[in-house]
Amino acid sequence: MDDRPTRFELLTAAALAWFADEAVDVAVVEVGLGGRWDCTNVVDGDVSVLTNVSYDHTEVLGPTLEDIARDKSGIFKAGGRVVIGETDPALVHQLRVAAQEAGAVEIWVRDTDFACTANRLAVGGRLIDVRTPLAAYGELLVPLHGVHQGDNASCAITATEGFFGYPLHEDVVEQAFAGVKVPGRLEVIGRHPLVVVDGAHNVAGMIVLARSLIEEFAVEARPRRWWACCRAVTRWPCWTRC
C-alpha cells in the first residue's frame, strides 16, 4: 500500500483472512464509516442493508443527509439485493436510484416491501409482527429494549430472506431472536438500583434512546412515608416531634 494502513484496515484484513482460512459459510460485515470508501467495501456482498441515514461523521461524509446517503449507498453491488430501512421519501428515492445504477437485482424498502406491523412492549423486550416480501411472522419476542428494535428486526429478517431466497421457518426465527444480545444498547446491567447503559452517539441514536427511556424505563416517583420525612429533618423519633 502506498499509505500506511489504519488500525481498522489492519483489523479488517486480518478478519477477512481468518474468515477465508476458516471457510465460513456466511459473514455479516458491518461498515466502519460511510460505505463507498470504507475498507469493508472490498467484500462483494450478496445482500446490502442500509438501516437508516442520520447525521454522523459529517466532517468526512458530508454536511447533509443526502451526502451521507450517497456515501452509504456505495456498498450496493451489481447482482445483489438491497434492503433499505430508511423511510424519508427523498432519501429513499435517492437510495433506490443508486441501487438501480449499481445493478441490484432486487430492492426492498421498509414500509413498502417489508415492515414491522405490530410492536408491543413485553417483559424483557418487544413482541413484534413482521411482514416481509416472502412471508409473515407473528408474535416474535425480541429481547431488546426500544421500539426501533422492531424495525431493525424487520430489516434483519428481510436481509436473511434475501440471502437464502426463500421464507424462513418461524421456529428458526424465534430461536435466533431468543439469543440476540446487543451490549451497550439500552443494556440493563443492574436492577437494584436500575442501571441502563447506552452508547448513542448521533442524532438518531439519541432520539430513540430518549423515547425508549420514557416508554420502557420511566417510573412514577413514590411519595416518601410521612415518618421518613419527619426523620429527615430531625434526630428525634418522629412520633415525639410531629
Side-chain angles (χ1 to χ4, degrees), residues 141-143 172-181:
L141 178 61
V142 179
V172 173
V173 178
E174 290 178 353
Q175 292 174 18
F177 279 124
V180 168
K181 295 180 180 179

Side-chain angles (χ1 to χ4, degrees), residues 72-84:
K72 287 178 176 287
S73 67
I75 66 171
F76 300 160
K77 305 296 184 181
R81 292 179 171 84
V82 172
V83 177
I84 300 174

Side-chain angles (χ1 to χ4, degrees), residues 217-229:
F217 295 100
V219 294
E220 294 183 4
R222 291 180 295 180
R224 299 177 67 185
R225 296 177 183 176
W226 65 272
W227 53 267
C229 294

Side-chain angles (χ1 to χ4, degrees), residues 50-54 84-89 91-92 95 109-110 155:
L50 200 164
T51 55
N52 70 318
V53 180
S54 180
I84 300 174
E86 179 59 55
T87 57
D88 180 273
L91 295 177
V92 168
L95 294 169
V109 179
R110 181 158 71 89
C155 287

Side-chain angles (χ1 to χ4, degrees), residues 83-157:
V83 177
I84 300 174
E86 179 59 55
T87 57
D88 180 273
L91 295 177
V92 168
H93 174 72
Q94 177 183 344
L95 294 169
R96 188 189 292 275
V97 170
Q100 292 170 342
E101 292 177 346
V105 294
E106 287 189 273
I107 306 167
W108 292 334
V109 179
R110 181 158 71 89
D111 291 345
T112 300
D113 303 295
F114 68 95
C116 178
T117 56
N119 193 331
R120 303 172 291 280
L121 184 63
V123 176
R126 312 294 305 187
L127 194 63
I128 66 171
D129 296 344
V130 173
R131 168 182 60 82
T132 68
L134 304 180
Y137 307 85
E139 296 193 334
L140 299 172
L141 178 61
V142 179
L144 302 173
H145 297 290
V147 175
H148 60 290
Q149 295 295 1
D151 295 327
N152 288 339
S154 69
C155 287
I157 296 174

